[in-house]
Amino acid sequence: MDFRHRHLLGIEPLAPAEITTILDLAERYVELNRGPRKHADALAGLTQINMFFENSTRTQASFELAGQRLGADVMNMQMQASSIKKGETLIDTAMTLNAMHPDLLVVRHPHSGAVDLLAQKVNCAVLNAGDGRHEHPTQALLDALTIRRAKGRLHRLNIAICGDIAHSRVARSNILLLGKMESRIRLIGPPTLMPAGVADWGVEVYDNMREGLAGADVVMMLRLQKERMDGAFIPSEREYYHRYGLDAEKLGHAKDDAIVMHPGPMNRGVEIDGTLADDINRSVIQEQVEMGVAVRMAAMDLLARNLRSVPQEVTA
Amino acid sequence: MTIQQEGTRPMTTLFTNARLIDPERGTDTIGALLVEGGEIKDILPHAPDDPEMFRARNILDCEGKCLAPGIVDIGVKVSEPGERHKESFGTAGFAAAAGGVTTMVTRPDTTPAIDSPEVLEFVARRANADSPVRVLPMAALTKGREGREMVEIGFLRDAGAVAFTDCDAVVTNTKVFARCLTYARSLGALVIAHPQDPGLSDGACVTSGKFASLKGLPAVSPMAERMALDRDLALVEMTGAKYHADQITSARALPRLERAKANGLDVTAGVSIHHLTLNETDVGDYRTFFKVKPPLRSEDDRMAVVEAVASGLIDVISSMHTPQDEESKRLPFEEAASGAVALETLLPAAMRLFHAGHLDLPTLWRALSLNPAKRLGLAQGRLAAGAPADLVLFDPDAPFVLDRFKLRSKSKNTPFDGARMEGKVLSTWVGGERVFGA
């Protein structure tokens, strides 16, 4: 199926067949990335700007590598250090960048909806690399690719997502994607870290982790931000680990072949036991990183194809 | 039309064939209305037969359109002083006239806040010079709206402040608020508060629920409104003050309001037109023109509040006119400024409630005109002999598509841009003088 979107702003507007298209193309890039010559020319001659208004190491590196392997000219802009501090608005920044004629703009921003706003004002393809607590579509796509490779399918799986659901864009994008692919989703976490109205999302909600993990095929752990550990949302780090940290005993409630995932960076001993995270029989955390590059190559490739055929519109 | 004075007789105008909307008697009937010297002189079931009566008078055939008391709008922000680039008394006044609003009761949340008789005098002077409609200023309740020291309530009242409010800055210190209420009571001054628990609502820009969670926006439960209302009502019971809640927007707050009124507390409540006609999902893809304070609620809450207006539990509908320029709205949703302009869209938006069958016109006008006037001790809001001839003539059925750039306000931040609306103001009179319409 065709992929007919100008931007990749979220999972929400994607049809299941479009998700499959991205994942199928990503499989080919996995092969390329594992081969001796890691180069393709899908983005040759195009300019990719990575604009991160929030700190990021791995996502930015992943997008950078993806762009370079496809032959794009890649530029990184650390926005938290630059013009925002001088009072420039997001729109002005967008217009400034627009004048540099980028073809692909990869944006991360601390506010929900900010990437959508920016996408309305530039005439290039925009990829959302995470906006506030809204969406992080490439993370959900790389998670889906990892799951599909491990389990052979994305439908009829029991997927447990554990931790700080309320503040997680990764959780939102994953819930949307895996729901579209017809898997069952359970959310596990303390009620203070559950979003309001979560009962209406078509998911099952557990505050007891052992119950939530029973029969799970996939256990997806989320990072708990340091600033949320100090008594405002949970009483303490150690109580959180006791009740919601993933260890071998709790994982024993899931299926015997359940895989363990984490979007990184991990807090060992807070949300996940260090030994378990390194267990190559259960943990696919390293593979997630690998899939990340391939999925981002696929997403940018598809958007670039549309760029070349679809007439450009500008809104100011 | 200009009203000519004939000899020494006072200016007179006879409105014939009008659909008279009388909120006081709750009637909607065809008749005639006689205006003399800026006041309503008489209401007649039909035009008088005696041709002598027509001599030297202006006769205006209303062609069966609605004639109602002009709207008394509590809570209009005119961004003077401080932000005249967003709105001035001139632009707000012409917008009001075009919207059928004949009295703007203005908010003190300006820069600086209207918290001293000197600033209030400036406002009154600017308003008189520039606004074609009546302007009655409110003053802050505490200095700088900081919730620490009360303003000179007595001096400000003498200078013309009709009510005291810190607007959306909640006085968190209950001792300070209790003293303000007690002092205001001794002067018979009306205190208007914004019931919203500041702790629970801190940082929130939408109402919590499925929609907010999916959009990843920081949200507040509508319970924050009930909590703050509970606190305020306890203090009103303690002090006996005259209290008005600026916006009650959630179902859960309504029983508290009902009980307070039943217990005889001097309490009234308002709601903005946006909370009556829009809900949380209208925000859609982060449309910042739909960001208001308090945030738009669920459809269940909206319907509960509409019913509360119909029953009279909620007394007042206002525009909560809040001009914001493009720069303060073209930002990510969390960073964008709150508020919407509404002076010109208040009446057509209210007509949505009429056309949906939720509220009849006399009930609407009770909330738009009679109740706010009564609450402020004004003679407006009535179609009765002796009342000021502040009138609006409108066609409740005239359809149009709203274009925000045609609004008279300097700021164009309306959530109704591109919306299909029904209900057009044809003419507006203040004190018998036409301020809008041909």
Side-chain angles (χ1 to χ4, degrees), chain A:
Chain A
M1 178 171 169
D2 287 347
F3 181 83
R4 294 209 169 271
H5 293 276
R6 189 158 163 225
H7 308 295
L8 180 63
L9 300 177
I11 297 298
E12 199 258 320
L14 301 184
E18 291 172 325
I19 292 166
T20 305
T21 302
I22 302 174
L23 299 183
D24 290 348
L25 182 59
E27 289 281 7
R28 294 185 8 215
Y29 284 123
V30 173
E31 296 313 310
L32 180 83
N33 289 339
R34 287 181 176 180
R37 274 191 52 82
K38 301 174 174 52
H39 273 285
D41 57 2
L43 303 184
L46 301 185
T47 301
Q48 170 193 343
I49 299 182
N50 296 334
M51 204 159 88
F52 280 64
F53 293 89
E54 207 179 63
N55 276 319
S56 163
T57 310
R58 35 182 78 216
T59 306
Q60 187 174 327
S62 183
F63 268 109
E64 185 174 358
L65 196 55
Q68 284 176 352
R69 284 189 178 162
L70 292 179
D73 296 316
V74 186
M75 182 173 79
N76 289 315
M77 295 184 73
Q78 293 302 330
M79 299 308 295
Q80 71 269 32
S82 78
S83 47
I84 294 300
K85 291 254 157 53
K86 299 174 195 157
E88 190 178 64
T89 68
L90 184 61
I91 304 286
D92 290 336
T93 308
M95 299 315 287
T96 305
L97 280 179
N98 207 32
M100 298 179 191
H101 300 293
D103 303 284
L104 294 154
L105 198 56
V106 178
V107 186
R108 169 170 288 188
H109 197 280
H111 291 313
S112 304
V115 181
D116 297 51
L117 177 68
L118 203 139
Q120 293 162 22
K121 308 294 174 190
V122 294
N123 53 2
C124 62
V126 176
L127 289 100
N128 182 359
D131 64 322
R133 30 177 118 160
H134 178 219
E135 282 231 46
H136 189 353
T138 57
Q139 178 71 43
L141 288 163
L142 75 88
D143 288 342
L145 186 59
T146 310
I147 295 170
R148 198 173 78 168
R149 288 169 66 93
K151 296 291 170 191
R153 63 177 197 273
L154 284 173
H155 60 278
R156 298 183 66 187
L157 292 169
N158 284 317
I159 299 183
I161 306 178
C162 316
D164 183 1
I165 313 286
H167 301 96
S168 175
R169 54 195 173 214
V170 175
R172 274 174 188 70
S173 288
N174 266 309
I175 292 165
L176 287 167
L177 191 152
L178 295 164
K180 281 176 195 275
M181 305 316 274
E182 299 185 359
S183 274
R184 270 175 74 179
I185 298 159
R186 298 111 170 252
L187 303 180
I188 304 168
T192 46
L193 295 176
M194 279 293 162
V198 70
D200 300 330
W201 286 13
V203 296
E204 296 162 47
V205 181
Y206 294 89
D207 53 20
N208 181 315
M209 191 166 186
R210 290 178 181 85
E211 287 172 17
L213 288 181
D217 297 292
V218 175
V219 181
M220 207 178 262
M221 301 306 297
L222 297 173
R223 177 181 165 79
L224 184 68
Q225 303 288 336
K226 286 272 181 215
E227 63 268 24
R228 309 216 162 94
M229 297 179 195
D230 60 357
F233 289 88
I234 53 165
S236 71
E237 203 174 304
R238 62 181 189 176
E239 180 163 324
Y240 184 80
Y241 182 66
H242 178 69
R243 299 194 63 212
Y244 299 103
L246 187 69
D247 54 20
E249 186 273 319
K250 291 197 194 87
L251 185 60
H253 293 262
K255 281 191 184 157
D256 291 341
D257 62 349
I259 55 169
V260 175
M261 306 177 74
H262 194 295
M266 279 182 285
N267 295 303
R268 288 166 187 264
V270 179
E271 68 254 355
I272 190 163
D273 174 64
T275 321
L276 187 59
D278 298 333
D279 179 353
I280 52 164
N281 294 316
R282 307 305 293 272
S283 163
V284 293
I285 296 170
Q286 293 306 313
E287 186 166 346
Q288 283 175 277
V289 178
E290 185 191 352
M291 294 307 119
V293 179
V295 151
R296 286 166 183 131
M297 288 166 82
M300 289 195 289
D301 181 355
L302 289 167
L303 290 175
R305 292 181 200 182
N306 289 347
L307 274 183
R308 290 184 168 123
S309 57
V310 176
Q312 305 281 301
E313 290 165 42
V314 190
T315 53

Side-chain angles (χ1 to χ4, degrees), chain A residues 89-91 109-114 116-117 121 131 133-134 172 195-197 200-201 316, chain B residues 208-219 285-286 327 329-335:
Chain A
T89 68
L90 184 61
I91 304 286
H109 197 280
H111 291 313
S112 304
D116 297 51
L117 177 68
K121 308 294 174 190
D131 64 322
R133 30 177 118 160
H134 178 219
R172 274 174 188 70
D200 300 330
W201 286 13
Chain B
S208 62
K210 182 187 177 187
F211 175 80
S213 295
L214 283 175
K215 290 292 171 191
L217 291 170
D285 285 329
Y286 306 100
E327 281 64 42
K329 282 286 187 184
R330 287 206 326 180
L331 290 169
F333 198 86
E334 283 172 60
E335 292 175 14

